[in-house]
Amino acid sequence: MTEFWEASFMENQAMWGYEPSDSSILTKDFFLEKNVKDILIPGIGYGRNAKIFIDNGIQVTGIEISETAINLAKEAGLPVPVYHGSVEEMPYDNRLYDGIYSYALIHLLSPEAREKFIKDCYNQLRPGGYMVFTTISKDAPMYGKGKKLDKDYYEIMEGLRMFFYDADSIRQEFGHYGLFEITEIAEPNKHAPDKPSFHFLMVKCQKR
């Protein structure tokens, strides 16, 4: 996965533009409502979804697998610490955070890595803290395309594997980690408005 994303960022640079996703705007509002002050963003990329949190007074720490993406974030003036590495190697510090936000990342992981990722995120939450995941759903047009690896798990193109969630698989994977809400969202492709929206699910959990 490192090679895939490093090559993608080297070739396409800020491939999704700099406008935050709708999911990030909704999560920012949710975190402000819950008085979340300090968050971890695994898969921070070049920071397009981080700035909206920073601009609203939320402290951000990131994790990113691509060195090129980290350099793009620095060039764009993103003033946050970012650990360079895979989310599969979490945790990178011993801090507990008020919130964790993961956008369009977990569905790129293997079954074993997804299980570890959810557990690692939950373990880095303070008691009462929240974690929000946005992930691809089975309603996405690419569902069922490419080489089938397992149930709802496909290699869409060489080096890019995706697991497609529905409410049942979300409850199965997140049910022991404070799951309390699943919301459907059609995420506009803001960088390429002529392209169809992404069919995502937003997953909210709270550490009890």
Side-chain angles (χ1 to χ4, degrees):
M1 190 182 293
T2 304
E3 291 80 4
F4 178 88
W5 287 110
E6 187 63 24
S8 296
F9 282 114
M10 287 183 69
E11 180 179 351
N12 301 304
Q13 300 288 293
M15 64 185 91
W16 299 294
Y18 283 95
E19 192 174 351
S21 66
D22 283 5
S23 300
S24 301
I25 296 168
L26 291 171
T27 302
K28 176 266 297 180
D29 292 341
F30 173 72
F31 280 169
L32 290 176
E33 175 192 338
K34 299 300 183 181
N35 200 33
V36 169
K37 300 290 188 183
D38 181 19
I39 70 171
L40 177 66
I41 302 183
I44 197 170
Y46 53 86
R48 75 164 180 129
N49 288 322
K51 189 173 184 299
I52 193 168
F53 296 102
I54 299 163
D55 290 347
N56 283 274
I58 297 173
Q59 184 178 344
V60 172
T61 300
I63 301 170
E64 176 52 45
I65 200 170
S66 167
E67 187 174 5
T68 297
I70 294 172
N71 289 334
L72 287 169
K74 290 177 181 176
E75 291 168 9
L78 193 72
V80 303
V82 178
Y83 293 105
H84 178 211
S86 169
V87 298
E88 296 184 36
E89 296 168 8
M90 288 175 67
Y92 284 89
D93 58 36
N94 57 6
R95 292 173 58 187
L96 298 181
Y97 295 86
D98 295 336
I100 293 176
Y101 176 53
S102 170
Y103 178 81
L105 186 155
I106 190 168
H107 55 259
L108 302 173
L109 303 177
S110 69
E112 297 78 17
R114 293 197 308 272
E115 182 179 2
K116 181 180 183 297
F117 181 48
I118 296 168
K119 182 178 180 181
D120 287 342
C121 287
Y122 190 80
N123 287 343
Q124 285 208 259
L125 282 178
R126 292 190 179 98
Y130 296 91
M131 57 185 189
V132 179
F133 297 79
T134 303
T135 186
I136 199 84
S137 87
K138 288 167 66 172
D139 291 329
M142 67 277 283
Y143 175 66
K145 305 291 176 63
K147 179 183 178 183
K148 186 173 183 178
L149 304 172
D150 204 343
K151 183 178 184 292
D152 299 328
Y153 190 37
Y154 294 85
E155 186 166 26
I156 304 300
M157 63 179 72
E158 187 175 353
L160 182 62
R161 298 177 174 186
M162 282 186 166
F163 179 78
F164 294 84
Y165 279 93
D166 59 17
D168 287 340
S169 53
I170 284 174
R171 282 191 285 266
Q172 182 177 345
E173 294 194 5
F174 291 87
H176 297 295
Y177 297 97
L179 173 68
F180 68 90
E181 184 176 293
I182 306 168
T183 309
E184 295 182 7
I185 181 168
E187 186 72 73
N189 195 328
K190 297 181 179 181
H191 190 51
D194 56 316
K195 293 185 178 180
S197 297
F198 296 101
H199 292 272
F200 280 149
L201 293 166
M202 287 187 68
V203 181
K204 291 181 182 176
C205 302
Q206 184 179 22
K207 189 169 188 176
R208 304 298 183 183

